Amino acid sequence: MTYNNLAYSAASRFWAEVAACGVTDVVVSPGSRSTPLAVTARNNPALRVTVQLDERVGSFCALGMAKASQRCVGLVCTSGTAAANYLPAVVEAHHSGVPLLVCTADRPPELRDVGAGQTIHQTKLYGNHVRWYAEVPCNLDHPDYFARLGVRAVTMAAAGPTTGPVHLNWPFRKPLEPQGQLNTHTPKVGKPTEQVRPLVEHEVAALAGLAQLPGLIVAGALNLNEAEAQAIVAFAETAGWPVLADAGSQLKGRSPLVLNGAETVLDRLNQLDRLNRPSLKPELEPEVLLRLGGPPSNQAVSQWVARCSGAHHLLVDPSRRFEEPSFGWTTTLASDPVALLEAATPQFVSADPKVPNWSSAWIQVATQAWQHTESVLSAGSLLEPLLAASVLRSLPAEVALYVSNSMPVRDITSFWPPDAPPRRVLVNRGANGIDGVVSSALGAALAIDQPVAALVGDVAVLHDVGGLLAACSAGIDLTVVVPNNNGGGIFSLLPVASGDVDVHFTELFHAPHHVNLQQLAIGLGANYQLARNLDDLSKAIAQPCGVLVVEVPIDHAAGLAQRKQLAWQAD
């Protein structure tokens, strides 16, 4: 068999096993050196190939697909800087545990370090940000190797508590074009891969015993389905434990114990602690803190958790990565969080009599804080906090919401109204960057059978114009809501904004861009609507219709003033 047909046979065997292991989607960016990988993926009837011209867009699109579908997604690109453009998405996938199968084509060893075009050092290009790396051999006459490579790659990416990206570097020699009829292969080794859900029995008993004490659940980003979210809520309701939930936890809106307004309460508690006035603290101090998912997005939550020094701090982390920057945990539990809470729920012994009063106190104080928030928002104009609350109220319940980092994820968490329904919320909270959010939302819309909306700040949209362009040609329903304060508004909340020394704040931090979003959106092929008030916003997002950019102009100074008003002053 000629070399080029060996290359196609090897790649075909690889994709056959990958598909048998449960992969259904592959995102390909055009290139020459990757021809055998791209063509054989496209020829496999079990794989859906999505073409993205821009590798950076393609990689975040694959990340959004994998996050939304909860399946491993493949990536294929040519050599050189094409592969380097995958790095931001690979970093995010690593930190958020999203399974990606990254296949980069490469020049063979004899063309490296000799000035060949599109040739860089791709060996372990992504460093420690992958679960496994392999340099695929140039000797292609070992069909069983390529079959087993596919199984191992998907297993390493998707079949365990430490899910994440895997990198395979494929050096191909010319000729790259197939000769004659291409053969297709059926899987010989692969079996559909199921994610391991470990359960440690003694941890179940320990948690069941602690559940009789006044406790609190702190839930960061969790990629849960409906049944899994309900299992966590069932534990909370059985134990009588309030839940401080990030929007990306999938727990918001599911129970009165999932507190709305909690971030405002904790901000006040932190302030009282700094003033040595702990008048609210004794009745709200937990004896057990249970941390699920990623770290909280809200700083007030993180600071308060770190101050609860007298509590048992249980960090549930099946990956054993111990992602708690305060280092405040006293015990780490290696069980899968859903399996752990499901198993512990029926084992509860009778709770301490003070637990009902404890949970009632939390609900009461959070309700008071939310009432204060609601009064401020109802008296003000359409600024970021009211925008977040209104998006959650006005979007149809079947629309999934992809939320950008910076202020949007914090606002969606802090201003989730009690009357807003539960909703699928996706966030890139691994590395917490603002890059690739539109592309990620595009991937989610391609992967799931439901419309998607995205709440993305103006800087993040400009950071991912390529993703917006790609969405416009994808035939999807994607509503992109853009609070536009003409720059990096979050920096105005940092101490650098109010320092005595001139730090050229506006130029270096807020960095006004003065981009006309209407012209940009229409030029890319998107629909556009301007929303200056709640009626405009509600009408714009009520019915998904193609790719729509909804711009909400934000008065930056008014927004800062309103955030100060939102501080709750109850003692």
Side-chain angles (χ1 to χ4, degrees):
M1 189 182 295
T2 61
Y3 173 83
N4 43 1
N5 278 2
L6 279 173
Y8 281 84
S9 177
S12 177
R13 291 182 186 279
F14 169 78
W15 288 124
E17 303 299 335
V18 165
C21 287
V23 174
T24 60
D25 283 283
V26 180
V27 179
V28 173
S29 291
S32 175
R33 191 64 55 166
S34 54
T35 300
L37 285 168
V39 171
T40 52
R42 179 62 181 82
N43 286 348
N44 188 314
L47 297 174
R48 177 179 65 165
V49 170
T50 300
V51 178
Q52 296 293 350
L53 300 179
D54 182 332
E55 286 83 8
R56 190 162 170 270
V57 170
S59 58
F60 275 104
C61 176
L63 184 140
M65 281 181 165
K67 187 181 287 286
S69 67
Q70 298 185 323
R71 291 191 300 268
C72 182
V73 172
L75 269 170
V76 173
C77 73
T78 191
S79 61
T81 57
N85 276 295
Y86 280 171
L87 179 60
V90 170
V91 169
E92 172 60 32
H94 166 71
H95 283 282
S96 55
V98 176
L100 295 179
L101 179 52
V102 183
C103 297
T104 58
D106 199 359
R107 262 58 176 173
E110 65 270 17
L111 291 182
R112 300 172 188 171
D113 289 321
V114 295
Q118 289 185 263
T119 306
I120 65 173
H121 285 284
Q122 293 180 206
T123 303
K124 296 188 176 180
L125 178 62
Y126 308 118
N128 294 327
H129 296 109
V130 294
R131 298 294 183 270
W132 181 57
Y133 166 81
E135 175 87 358
V136 180
C138 287
N139 183 352
L140 302 173
D141 197 13
H142 294 284
D144 287 345
Y145 168 82
F146 293 97
R148 294 186 182 277
L149 177 67
V151 175
R152 184 177 181 188
V154 179
T155 300
M156 295 297 289
T162 55
T163 58
V166 160
H167 178 206
L168 304 179
N169 195 50
W170 292 73
F172 289 114
R173 294 188 173 100
K174 289 185 176 182
L176 300 169
E177 300 74 24
Q179 299 293 313
Q181 186 68 30
L182 293 178
N183 295 322
T184 57
H185 295 88
T186 56
K188 296 172 59 177
V189 183
K191 295 180 180 179
T193 303
E194 296 183 3
Q195 184 172 331
V196 177
R197 304 185 67 81
L199 185 64
V200 183
E201 291 298 333
H202 72 85
E203 294 181 356
V204 176
L207 179 58
L210 289 172
Q212 61 186 310
L213 301 174
L216 197 68
I217 299 173
V218 179
L222 288 161
N223 201 359
L224 306 174
N225 60 33
E226 183 73 17
E228 291 167 339
Q230 292 290 0
I232 292 177
V233 170
F235 172 92
E237 291 179 337
T238 303
W241 284 9
V243 183
L244 307 178
D246 262 40
S249 69
Q250 320 309 321
L251 303 178
K252 285 282 197 179
R254 295 185 181 276
S255 168
L257 279 171
V258 182
L259 303 173
N260 302 90
E263 292 77 20
T264 305
V265 174
L266 298 185
D267 191 51
R268 182 56 176 162
L269 289 176
N270 292 334
Q271 182 184 15
L272 292 172
D273 274 347
R274 289 191 292 268
L275 296 172
N276 293 318
R277 294 174 55 202
S279 53
L280 270 176
K281 191 174 181 180
E283 63 184 281
L284 301 179
E285 182 82 25
E287 295 184 34
V288 184
L289 271 171
L290 181 65
R291 245 286 315 279
L292 310 176
S297 63
N298 189 288
Q299 188 178 33
V301 178
S302 299
Q303 290 175 347
W304 182 78
V305 166
R307 288 190 170 101
C308 291
S309 56
H312 295 280
H313 287 242
L314 309 181
L315 175 61
V316 182
D317 184 9
S319 69
R320 295 178 172 86
R321 294 173 66 185
F322 311 129
E323 294 184 328
E324 174 49 66
S326 73
F327 305 105
W329 43 266
T330 57
T331 303
T332 57
L333 307 180
S335 294
D336 172 86
V338 176
L340 174 65
L341 270 61
E342 277 186 316
T345 300
Q347 296 189 24
F348 289 170
V349 295
S350 58
D352 188 311
K354 63 186 176 184
V355 169
N357 293 333
W358 145 266
S359 58
S360 296
W362 265 103
I363 292 172
Q364 180 180 3
V365 74
T367 300
Q368 292 171 357
W370 178 258
Q371 288 171 347
H372 166 74
T373 296
E374 192 83 275
S375 67
V376 173
L377 297 186
S378 62
S381 55
L382 184 55
L383 300 168
E384 287 111 318
L386 180 57
L387 171 61
S390 301
V391 164
L392 292 165
R393 282 173 165 145
S394 299
L395 269 181
E398 69 273 12
V399 178
L401 181 62
Y402 221 111
V403 184
S404 180
N405 287 305
S406 195
M407 289 311 298
V409 67
R410 293 170 172 87
D411 288 342
I412 286 289
T413 295
S414 298
F415 305 112
W416 191 298
D419 57 340
R423 170 184 317 280
R424 181 89 182 273
V425 177
L426 300 169
V427 291
N428 293 347
R429 290 299 294 171
N432 305 339
I434 65 166
D435 43 354
V437 179
V438 179
S439 297
S440 299
L442 159 64
L446 289 169
I448 56 179
D449 188 23
Q450 64 185 108
V452 175
L455 181 63
V456 189
D458 51 322
V459 175
V461 166
L462 296 178
H463 216 280
D464 197 16
V465 170
L468 190 57
L469 174 63
C472 290
S473 59
I476 58 170
D477 289 326
L478 176 62
T479 302
V480 183
V481 181
V482 186
N484 183 5
N485 55 19
N486 193 31
I490 191 172
F491 295 111
S492 296
L493 302 175
L494 301 179
V496 70
S498 56
D500 296 331
V501 179
D502 183 7
V503 295
H504 308 282
F505 177 80
T506 300
E507 176 189 355
L508 297 178
F509 296 93
H510 190 78
H513 51 76
H514 305 296
V515 173
N516 187 314
L517 292 184
Q518 179 179 9
Q519 292 179 355
L520 176 66
I522 293 174
L524 294 172
N527 300 310
Y528 170 87
Q529 290 192 35
L530 180 68
R532 294 190 180 276
N533 53 53
L534 284 181
D535 287 342
D536 292 345
L537 177 67
S538 299
K539 291 175 183 176
I541 66 177
Q543 184 62 46
C545 183
V547 177
L548 171 65
V549 174
V550 180
E551 180 183 3
V552 182
I554 300 294
D555 183 321
H556 182 53
L560 290 175
Q562 186 184 70
R563 290 186 187 277
K564 292 178 181 179
Q565 288 181 307
L566 287 165
W568 186 45
Q569 297 302 316
D571 293 332

